[in-house]
Amino acid sequence: MSEIRARIFAVVAKVPHGHVVTHGQVAGTAGVPRHARQVGYALHDLPEGSPLPWHRVVKAKGEISQRSESGCENVQRSMLEEEAIESRNGHIDLERFRWQPDCKLGEIG
């Protein structure tokens, strides 16, 4: 595993139950700002059954990302709803549910 992916996974692992982060937020916290797509690629490559809370990572506007396999968005939506993270018209209220880590870049790991 690359060092960047390890940092991305370390950030995602810290996202608490009932909160979400954006791809860009994960990238910035992991020390690779402006690499939100790398976060998406890393999460896409997770093995099935991974304990990492990948479902807590959403798009910049609070939307669930489209998946290559039809219906996978519903899995993420259901997992978020189980954590009482509500969405309206496909959008999650980031002001209410966004996690703000108490650390500087590079301190997670």
Side-chain angles (χ1 to χ4, degrees):
M1 175 185 332
S2 76
E3 178 186 341
I4 292 173
R5 282 194 176 204
R7 289 188 301 195
I8 288 169
F9 294 156
V11 172
V12 174
K14 302 268 187 197
V15 180
H17 184 276
H19 292 82
V20 296
V21 291
T22 65
H23 293 89
Q25 185 180 359
V26 171
T29 304
V32 287
R34 298 189 345 237
H35 284 81
R37 286 184 189 218
Q38 292 302 318
V39 173
Y41 297 146
L43 296 178
H44 178 267
D45 290 344
L46 283 173
E48 188 171 328
S50 170
L52 198 70
W54 61 268
H55 63 284
R56 297 179 186 149
V57 182
V58 298
K59 291 170 61 173
K61 293 184 180 181
E63 300 168 328
I64 292 172
S65 298
Q66 294 294 320
R67 302 295 195 284
S68 56
E69 294 182 36
S70 180
C72 287
E73 302 87 17
N74 294 331
V75 172
Q76 184 176 10
R77 186 172 289 109
S78 293
M79 292 174 80
L80 292 171
E81 287 173 357
E82 286 176 14
E83 296 187 19
I85 298 172
E86 305 164 1
S87 65
R88 289 193 180 179
N89 299 320
H91 289 77
I92 295 165
D93 182 351
L94 292 178
E95 287 188 29
R96 180 174 174 197
F97 294 106
R98 184 193 308 248
W99 174 59
Q100 297 293 344
D102 294 331
C103 62
K104 298 175 186 166
L105 296 180
E107 290 182 359
I108 290 186

